[in-house]
Amino acid sequence: PRQVRIGRNSNLPGGPQPAASVVAQRLCDLLLAFPAAAVGGVQWQVLVRKYEERFGSRLDIAALGHSSPLAAATALLWEVLRLVDSEDTDNPVLAIEDAVALTPQPGQL
């Protein structure tokens, strides 16, 4: 059986990109799993690395029609996103809206 190393973009399988709605839900669930997302935020690159580790495929924002990580984060996480720092469009810092952070979520503490 072929082994795939996960964690470095170049080693992840290419395959077709899931639908934007699937990617958005996955990113939202992952962001909610970070305790720091309720307070100081999580860097985009950390969120993407965890996405790729969990789902075993590269997150291709260009295939989803986004020109930058900031554009992708804003479009895909619009329902829950609070931008902490958008100065670096390649690695914005993302947090969860306060109302979302205070709402009990299934499977979350």
Side-chain angles (χ1 to χ4, degrees):
R2 189 177 126 203
Q3 289 186 337
V4 178
R5 290 180 51 209
I6 297 176
R8 298 188 68 176
N9 291 349
S10 60
N11 294 330
L12 293 173
Q17 188 71 38
S21 60
V22 172
V23 173
Q25 185 62 55
R26 289 175 172 180
L27 286 172
C28 180
D29 292 345
L30 279 174
L31 190 57
L32 286 168
F34 282 92
V39 186
V42 176
Q43 292 180 355
W44 171 260
Q45 292 174 0
V46 172
L47 186 63
V48 169
R49 185 171 53 243
K50 292 301 173 186
Y51 177 97
E52 292 173 347
E53 287 174 4
R54 173 154 314 158
F55 299 106
S57 64
R58 193 172 69 82
L59 178 58
D60 184 355
I61 60 171
L64 294 170
H66 304 292
S67 59
S68 71
L70 179 60
T74 303
L76 296 169
L77 296 169
W78 67 272
E79 292 180 310
V80 299
L81 181 65
R82 176 173 55 89
L83 279 172
V84 174
D85 185 355
S86 60
E87 188 172 323
D88 182 354
T89 60
D90 290 329
N91 192 25
V93 179
L94 317 171
I96 297 292
E97 284 284 345
D98 291 342
V100 175
L102 295 172
T103 303
Q105 303 289 324
Q108 306 289 327
L109 293 177

